[in-house]
């Protein structure tokens, strides 16, 4: 739906009535994925698509009905093995569509900013817009809102769109954000394991090393990008935001000190560096000599990872991503059996960007 943001926000600003049909789930060879949308105004204007043409007419009519009734509608379009053409989906897939009345809530969204929209399905028809540092709207219950906001923000961080069930309420959450970036420096075996773990968590993973013999696609098949460049030079010209992870696995002063000078002065949400405690002390001394402040140095997670007793590259990758998750959520990283209170953490605005 966010692909149609410019059109639907203009309709909302003009006070026009409209409905939006969003694909909320798919199976088989469905033509469009979850999040694809068709918006229809009361005047009959249509933008977007939910099926590439197969069932567009039927969905258009549903949108017109919802504009008149104001009641959201959920409908499945599929096929039978005997007659795949009869119901309109010639591709042989199945799509489930939610048609909902246009909401003034969308006027709060600005093009290009990361935001997610959670809409209740069934009896609960509330909606909540969630940004990294705030939210608007309600599901009609304060306690439920807190849970929905936390889950939706987690989905926003990973750029995930899909169905969720929380506290007995089914939701469709649609995220408008590119995948967060994980920048792994050092083409070593630990980097290969961390790349796999990062990709599993939804990160867009880049491996960077100045040595072309090691930084190869063959050694890092799970990376989205493999870059041959000096790490500090690459990072200085790379876009970084509060969701970005910087993992320095080189533990070689000629690479990691210039790199950390750059990294600790960016807005990266997590900066970690591998090495022994002796290496950490030497590296910290060098960084102070390079002019980094104590506040900048306090952002460095070194030695990288949580204390899990990790030995192998795979275990070390788990240790690192565990610390990344705990840092992102503002959690302590202790065993749950040793903590009290809610298991799932809300992300407070002051934690964003740590």
């Amino acid at each position: 739906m966010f692909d149609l943001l410019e059109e639907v926000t203009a309709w909302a600003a003009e006070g026009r009535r409209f409905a939006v049909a969003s694909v909320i789930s798919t199976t088989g060879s469905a033509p469009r994925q979850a999040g694809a949308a068709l918006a229809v105004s009361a005047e009959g204007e249509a933008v977007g698509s939910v099926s590439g043409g197969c069932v567009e007419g039927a969905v258009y009519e549903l949108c017109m009905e919802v504009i008149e009734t104001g009641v959201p509608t959920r409908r499945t379009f599929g096929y039978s093995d005997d007659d795949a053409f009869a119901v309109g989906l010639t591709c042989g897939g199945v799509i489930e569509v939610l048609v909902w009345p246009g909401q003034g809530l969308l006027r709060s969204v600005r093009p290009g900013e990361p935001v997610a929209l959670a809409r209740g399905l069934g009896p609960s028809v509330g909606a909540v817009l969630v940004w990294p540092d705030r939210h608007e709207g309600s599901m009609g219950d304060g306690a439920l809102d807190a849970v929905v906001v936390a889950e939706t923000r987690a989905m926003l961080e990973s750029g995930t769109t899909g169905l969720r069930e929380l506290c007995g309420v089914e939701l469709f959450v649609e995220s408008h954000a590119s995948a967060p970036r994980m920048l792994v420096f050092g083409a070593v075996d630990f980097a290969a394991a961390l790349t796999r773990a990062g990709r599993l968590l939804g990160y867009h993973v880049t491996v960077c090393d100045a040595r072309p013999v090691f930084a190869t696609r063959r050694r890092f098949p799970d990376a989205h990008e493999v870059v041959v460049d000096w790490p500090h030079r690459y990072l200085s010209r790379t876009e970084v935001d509060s969701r970005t992870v910087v993992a320095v696995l080189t533990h070689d002063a000629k690479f990691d000190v210039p790199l950390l000078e750059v990294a600790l002065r960016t807005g990266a949400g997590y900066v970690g560096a591998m090495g022994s405690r002796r290496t950490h002390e030497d590296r910290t001394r060098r960084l102070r000599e390079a002019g980094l402040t104590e506040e900048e140095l306090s952002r460095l997670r070194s030695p990288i990872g949580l204390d899990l007793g990790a030995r192998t590259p795979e275990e070390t990758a788990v240790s690192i991503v565990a610390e990344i998750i705990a840092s992102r959520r503002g959690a302590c990283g202790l065993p749950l059996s040793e903590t009290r209170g809610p298991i799932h953490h809300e992300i407070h605005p002051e934690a964003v960007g740590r």
Side-chain angles (χ1 to χ4, degrees), residues 76-158:
T76 299
F77 295 90
Y79 68 98
S80 69
D81 292 335
D82 296 330
D83 191 357
F85 290 88
V87 293
L89 260 180
T90 56
C91 62
V94 176
I95 64 171
E96 189 175 13
V97 174
L98 173 68
V99 185
W100 48 283
Q103 295 163 314
L105 194 63
L106 294 175
R107 282 179 285 190
S108 301
V109 180
R110 299 291 175 264
E113 66 181 352
V115 64
L117 175 62
R119 296 194 292 273
L121 307 179
S124 178
V125 293
V128 180
L129 272 172
V130 179
W131 291 266
D133 58 353
R134 67 190 192 281
H135 69 275
E136 290 184 16
S138 175
M139 302 301 298
D141 178 273
L144 177 60
D145 284 348
V147 177
V148 169
V149 168
E151 178 70 14
T152 301
R153 188 165 284 142
M155 293 179 70
L156 174 61
E157 288 178 352
S158 61

Side-chain angles (χ1 to χ4, degrees), residues 124-333:
S124 178
V125 293
V128 180
L129 272 172
V130 179
W131 291 266
D133 58 353
R134 67 190 192 281
H135 69 275
E136 290 184 16
S138 175
M139 302 301 298
D141 178 273
L144 177 60
D145 284 348
V147 177
V148 169
V149 168
E151 178 70 14
T152 301
R153 188 165 284 142
M155 293 179 70
L156 174 61
E157 288 178 352
S158 61
T160 305
T161 289
L163 295 169
R164 290 291 187 274
E165 185 171 334
L166 300 173
C167 305
V169 175
E170 192 174 14
L171 304 168
F172 176 60
V173 178
E174 187 173 359
S175 296
H176 179 55
S178 58
R181 301 195 67 189
M182 176 180 284
L183 307 177
V184 181
F185 294 97
V188 297
D189 50 356
F190 291 97
L194 181 57
T195 296
R196 291 192 293 273
R199 186 156 189 159
L200 179 65
L201 292 179
Y203 284 92
H204 182 281
V205 184
T206 299
V207 175
C208 176
D209 197 298
R211 302 165 297 178
V213 68
F214 296 117
T216 65
R217 171 60 62 185
R218 184 173 182 178
R219 296 188 70 226
F220 299 97
D222 295 301
H224 294 90
E225 298 175 289
V226 178
V227 176
V228 179
D229 200 350
W230 280 86
H232 70 283
R233 186 166 60 191
Y234 173 74
L235 183 59
S236 66
R237 57 180 170 80
T238 297
E239 186 175 346
V240 169
D241 62 25
S242 63
R243 302 181 302 150
T244 302
V245 165
V246 175
V248 181
L249 308 185
T250 52
H251 49 80
D252 183 332
K254 69 175 177 291
F255 291 116
D256 57 20
V257 171
L259 171 59
L260 288 170
E261 280 188 66
V262 177
L264 293 172
R265 287 170 172 159
T266 69
Y270 176 94
V271 180
M274 179 174 280
S276 67
R277 298 194 187 281
R278 180 178 298 178
T279 298
H280 169 69
E281 291 173 2
D282 178 68
R283 188 162 48 207
T284 302
R285 176 183 59 78
R286 292 170 183 263
L287 289 169
R288 284 195 181 97
E289 291 173 353
L292 269 74
T293 67
E294 293 305 312
E295 182 179 359
E296 289 168 336
L297 288 171
S298 70
R299 299 184 57 225
L300 177 60
R301 305 275 181 158
S302 175
I304 197 171
L306 296 184
D307 182 8
L308 305 182
R311 294 284 184 179
T312 67
E314 291 74 20
E315 290 174 346
T316 302
V318 172
S319 165
I320 294 170
V321 297
E323 184 177 46
I324 291 168
I325 295 169
S327 172
R328 193 172 66 188
R329 298 280 186 267
C332 61

Side-chain angles (χ1 to χ4, degrees), residues 19-36:
V20 178
S22 295
V23 176
I24 61 175
S25 68
T26 67
T27 57
S29 55
R32 302 293 302 275
Q33 298 303 305

Side-chain angles (χ1 to χ4, degrees), residues 30-42:
R32 302 293 302 275
Q33 298 303 305
L38 170 71
V40 178
S41 73

